Amino acid sequence: MSTAQQDANLIGCDFDAATAKALSGNDIVAIVTDKTGTELLAVSGQQGLKFNMSQDNTEAATKDDAIGGWTLKFASSKSWDASIDGLYSPDDSATKTVAKALAEGEYLCLKVCKRIRTSANTKYVPLRMGLALVSSDSFEAPNDDNATYSMEFQGTGKPWLYETASEEQITAATITVSNS
């Protein structure tokens, strides 16, 4: 096949560097720790993870002809939440920590990390993290299928974001665990 034919066959299929940088969901894990911070616990059996940030906007309309009758919008309050679901394991330490935090109305630190495995160690590079309250923790046990869980978290305060952090902050927040 000639180069011209190859180029024509790739129209609409942009194999650029940005595509290659996309992360697989399999490499993203949620980690929790309680107020003692003594243990970072990856929630076992994770299958799905969702992290949402939102902002309310206020609106103002004026009689000012200078803006041509258009309404104005202003940034208002912001919030974040997260949810995790997966295969239920009642003996998992993270599952126990989440259930205890909900039962006692305690905060958890929730970290959403990119997991990078090598033969020597596993690194957990944070993508999002912040203080959260558990808003729900449930599991289902259908008769003919796997038992599953679903956990929901409501963030409190501003979350830490990979995209806005400096390289120094990312390095300081990265967790490395030896594989030996």
Side-chain angles (χ1 to χ4, degrees), residues 4-67:
Q5 279 179 313
Q6 216 173 6
D7 290 345
N9 290 339
L10 293 175
I11 291 175
C13 295
D14 189 10
F15 291 96
D16 64 2
T19 303
K21 290 182 182 179
L23 294 176
S24 166
N26 192 41
D27 296 328
I28 310 297
V29 296
I31 298 171
V32 296
T33 188
D34 64 11
K35 64 184 175 188
T36 65
T38 55
E39 286 186 289
L40 292 170
L41 306 165
V43 183
S44 180
Q46 289 177 56
Q47 293 181 317
L49 186 147
K50 189 173 184 179
F51 189 98
N52 308 297
M53 291 189 295
S54 62
Q55 174 177 277
D56 293 331
N57 297 311
T58 58
E59 187 173 291
T62 68
K63 296 179 182 180
D64 187 352
D65 286 335
I67 61 170

Side-chain angles (χ1 to χ4, degrees), residues 16 30 39 108 117 144 167:
D16 64 2
E39 286 186 289
L108 291 175
R117 296 178 182 155
D144 58 350
E167 284 299 320

Side-chain angles (χ1 to χ4, degrees), residues 46-101:
Q46 289 177 56
Q47 293 181 317
L49 186 147
K50 189 173 184 179
F51 189 98
N52 308 297
M53 291 189 295
S54 62
Q55 174 177 277
D56 293 331
N57 297 311
T58 58
E59 187 173 291
T62 68
K63 296 179 182 180
D64 187 352
D65 286 335
I67 61 170
W70 291 95
T71 59
L72 302 174
K73 300 210 183 243
F74 302 95
S76 187
S77 62
K78 298 173 181 71
S79 63
W80 66 273
D81 62 79
S83 61
I84 308 168
D85 61 72
L87 299 174
Y88 180 63
S89 174
D91 294 324
D92 175 54
S93 295
T95 300
K96 289 178 179 181
T97 298
V98 170
K100 181 178 183 278

Side-chain angles (χ1 to χ4, degrees), residues 123-144:
K123 286 186 180 184
Y124 295 92
V125 180
L127 301 174
R128 306 269 194 276
M129 60 182 166
L131 200 58
L133 288 168
V134 181
S135 56
S136 74
D137 176 17
S138 61
F139 73 91
E140 290 186 42
N143 190 42
D144 58 350

Side-chain angles (χ1 to χ4, degrees), residues 153-177:
F153 304 86
Q154 294 291 316
T156 180
K158 183 178 179 179
W160 185 96
L161 305 172
Y162 177 89
E163 294 84 354
T164 61
S166 68
E167 284 299 320
E168 294 80 24
Q169 291 168 325
I170 293 168
T171 300
T174 296
I175 304 157
T176 302
V177 178

